[in-house]
Amino acid sequence: MVIDSHCHLDLLAKKKDINQVLLEAAKAQVAAIVVPGINEQNWLTINKLASEHAMVYFALGFHPLFLKEVDNESIIRLEQRVAELKNNRKLVAIGECGLDFYQGRENELLQKSLLIEQIRIANQYQLPIILHCRKAHQDLIALLKQNPPLYSGVIHGFSGSYQQAMDYVNLGLKIGVGGVITYERAQKTRSTITNLPLESLLLETDAPDMPLYGYQGQPNEPKMVNLVLSSLNMLRSENEQTVTSQLLKNSKLTFNFCD
Ligand SMILES: [Zn+2]
């Protein structure tokens, strides 16, 4: 059994029949899929997907690349939603939130203040946090040290150095391992993932984005998480059984999945 800890099923639904996608995921031993929130527009959709499909779970938050419609009341509405869903076991995290300076630092202050607010909400409701980071590891690590998430979480789709990864691990966070490790050219990330503690890793696809090596040009899907696991197994020194069962355990512990 494997868990896809990061999959934009709502975006994939625009490209593929979601019932078929989930059927194939189940056949491929995918036990659960976590669908991150992006902005207020997708919260209802992913909540609905989770209530309709046993294997689908979701998170609520503001993705740093989709902040156009964020206003002064946005965080209040997020907090209200989370409070309403407090007893819904399908809501498993806050996010995805974080910092993305790929296109520059124009809205750096907005990104940072929204992230701090989302960490506060995660801590208040005892939820883990799903973090997104591009071109911002230094800023993100500094911000997390000042505003530590208290209920763990994951830095998703990680690519970077061992030292950066360990900074997150030392903050109690997991490292999301995705399709990037299927590419031979991703040497730095591959060597990082090879050397990190096995207890710190989670599997993900980030579907429909981040196609695996050999599948470029096709929408990525949750069933592919098995191929990420195969690549991980090739990198790690532990035996396959140990890697598979530890990775499942890591996801279950992070998101408090009930069996
Ligand atoms: Zn994402």
Side-chain angles (χ1 to χ4, degrees):
M1 285 293 193
V2 285
I3 287 174
D4 185 353
S5 67
H6 197 107
C7 170
H8 296 279
L9 216 50
D10 54 318
L11 304 181
L12 186 57
K14 294 177 182 164
K15 302 172 188 244
K16 289 213 145 192
D17 171 13
I18 228 57
N19 289 315
Q20 187 63 24
V21 163
L22 292 175
L23 204 66
E24 287 176 24
K27 269 192 212 154
Q29 303 287 305
V30 178
I33 297 169
V34 179
V35 185
I38 292 175
N39 55 23
E40 290 177 68
Q41 283 74 52
N42 96 319
W43 295 350
L44 270 181
T45 314
I46 62 177
N47 189 349
K48 189 162 175 281
L49 277 169
S51 59
E52 287 170 353
H53 303 281
M55 72 197 296
V56 178
Y57 295 78
F58 70 107
L60 291 180
F62 294 102
H63 190 298
L65 283 183
F66 301 90
L67 301 182
K68 274 210 183 86
E69 280 155 48
V70 163
D71 59 41
N72 291 336
E73 311 286 303
S74 295
I75 279 294
I76 297 171
R77 288 192 294 270
L78 174 63
E79 197 162 359
Q80 275 167 356
R81 254 3 307 262
V82 175
E84 281 162 24
L85 294 164
K86 197 167 63 179
N87 298 316
N88 184 333
R89 66 179 197 91
K90 288 300 191 85
L91 174 66
V92 292
I94 297 297
E96 68 179 285
C97 50
L99 301 178
D100 193 319
F101 298 147
Y102 191 74
Q103 284 161 351
R105 288 177 175 257
E106 245 167 66
N107 62 356
E108 175 179 349
L109 289 180
L110 175 63
Q111 287 195 32
K112 286 185 172 172
S113 70
L114 272 172
L115 175 56
I116 291 168
E117 285 297 312
Q118 290 178 89
I119 296 170
R120 178 186 62 74
I121 294 172
N123 289 346
Q124 187 174 330
Y125 289 88
Q126 307 186 1
L127 289 167
I129 193 142
I130 298 173
L131 292 164
H132 166 106
C133 181
R134 258 200 321 177
K135 297 257 181 252
H137 282 309
Q138 264 192 350
D139 288 73
L140 181 57
I141 289 161
L143 185 149
L144 293 171
K145 282 183 178 162
Q146 298 260 311
N147 306 273
L150 302 178
Y151 297 90
S152 188
V154 56
I155 172 87
H156 108 86
F158 183 81
S159 66
S161 73
Y162 178 79
Q163 194 45 57
Q164 284 165 339
M166 282 309 293
D167 284 340
Y168 293 111
V169 171
N170 290 332
L171 283 157
L173 297 164
K174 307 289 182 197
I175 304 296
V177 181
V180 63
I181 64 160
T182 64
Y183 290 82
E184 230 166 89
R185 64 164 190 264
Q187 285 194 16
K188 183 165 80 172
T189 302
R190 276 186 159 194
S191 110
T192 299
I193 301 302
T194 305
N195 294 308
L196 286 172
L198 194 60
E199 294 72 25
S200 69
L201 305 179
L202 298 188
L203 295 170
E204 65 167 76
T205 60
D206 204 12
D209 294 333
M210 301 299 286
L212 276 65
Y213 177 75
Y215 295 88
Q216 297 96 320
Q218 301 175 29
N220 195 4
E221 289 191 42
K223 67 176 178 189
M224 303 302 261
V225 73
N226 255 315
L227 297 183
V228 179
L229 176 61
S230 304
S231 280
L232 179 63
N233 265 312
M234 283 194 276
L235 297 174
R236 299 293 304 197
S237 58
E238 300 90 345
N239 72 43
E240 237 178 276
Q241 184 73 51
T242 308
V243 173
T244 305
S245 64
Q246 186 63 50
L247 270 281
L248 182 62
K249 195 173 158 190
N250 295 347
S251 285
K252 284 188 172 179
L253 284 173
T254 305
F255 296 110
N256 290 302
F257 287 127
C258 342
D259 283 294

